[in-house]
Amino acid sequence: MPDLLSLHLDLLDSDVRTVSACSVGFIDHSAIRLLCERHPRLAANLWRTTLVDASIFREWVVNVGKRQALGRVAHLLCEIMLRMEDAGLASDQTCAFGVTQADLGEATGLSAVHINRTLKSLREKHLTSLVNGQLTIHDWEGLAFLAEFRHDYLHSARNNKTAEFMSMH
C-alpha cells in the first residue's frame, strides 16, 4: 500500500510513481478505517507496514547522506535483490531490473554520468552486472560489505543472507 501514511494525514507530502507499467487499485480511506475498527489484527498489520516504511526512510537518509556513490548504488542493488526475492521474483541472484540510469540517479542523488561510472566499477569488481534489463549479483558478500548493507531495516524474516555474512566477519 504505497500511500498508507496518507491514511492519517490530511496532505501527502510526496508523490507516488512507478518506473514500469502496473495496475493500481484505489481503496477509499473511510473503508480502510472501518476495516481497522472492525479487525484489530488488520489495523496492527497496517501499522507495522507503516513502521517498516519509516525504517526504510531512515536507512535511505543514511544512504544518501553518508555513503559515497559506490556504496549508495551497491546498497540500492542489495535492497532491490532482497525485495525481489521476498516477492518470489528473483532466482540465483538474478531479477528483472527495468530502471534506467536516470532512475538510479534520482534514487541515489547522483548524476547520470556518476551512475554510469559507478555501475562500470561494480561490473569491473565482478560484483554485479546489468544486462538486457536483468540485474545479477555475482558476489553478494562483497556487494553487501561495500554497501555496509544490513537487511534488518527491511524487517523481513525470510532474508538472512547479510546477517549470516556479518556474523562470520
Side-chain angles (χ1 to χ4, degrees):
M1 218 174 256
D3 74 337
L4 194 53
L5 294 172
S6 71
L7 183 62
H8 298 291
L9 300 174
D10 293 332
L11 176 67
L12 187 60
D13 59 3
S14 62
D15 294 333
V16 177
R17 298 179 182 187
T18 66
V19 294
S20 62
C22 71
S23 297
V24 178
F26 293 93
I27 303 172
D28 189 76
H29 284 168
S30 61
I32 295 173
R33 286 189 196 101
L34 184 60
L35 280 171
C36 289
E37 288 172 16
R38 292 182 179 169
H39 304 280
R41 280 192 334 188
L42 173 64
N45 284 329
L46 292 177
W47 179 235
R48 182 184 186 285
T49 298
T50 302
L51 293 173
V52 171
D53 285 346
S55 177
I56 293 167
F57 297 157
R58 287 188 299 275
E59 184 65 23
W60 273 91
V61 168
V62 170
N63 196 38
V64 173
K66 175 186 173 233
R67 295 185 180 99
Q68 298 298 317
L70 206 54
R72 284 185 204 181
V73 174
H75 194 280
L76 175 63
L77 299 179
C78 286
E79 180 177 320
I80 287 172
M81 185 58 69
L82 288 185
R83 287 173 159 229
M84 294 296 272
E85 285 180 354
D86 274 352
L89 299 172
S91 172
D92 299 322
Q93 295 295 294
T94 298
C95 67
F97 193 76
V99 300
T100 65
Q101 289 186 13
D103 295 330
L104 289 174
E106 284 187 32
T108 58
L110 299 168
S111 71
V113 171
H114 212 145
I115 289 292
N116 189 288
R117 290 181 189 147
T118 303
L119 292 174
K120 180 180 179 188
S121 179
L122 291 172
R123 187 172 54 250
E124 289 173 347
K125 294 176 185 297
H126 306 289
L127 297 172
T128 65
S129 59
L130 288 167
V131 179
N132 298 325
Q134 295 284 312
L135 166 66
T136 300
I137 296 178
H138 302 289
D139 178 358
W140 174 264
E141 290 81 11
L143 190 67
F145 182 78
L146 178 66
E148 301 174 16
F149 187 81
R150 295 183 46 191
H151 78 290
D152 56 349
Y153 74 98
L154 294 169
H155 299 277
S156 172
R158 185 173 173 268
N159 294 302
N160 295 316
K161 288 180 186 179
T162 303
E164 291 169 9
F165 171 72
M166 295 302 245
S167 69
M168 295 185 317
H169 292 82

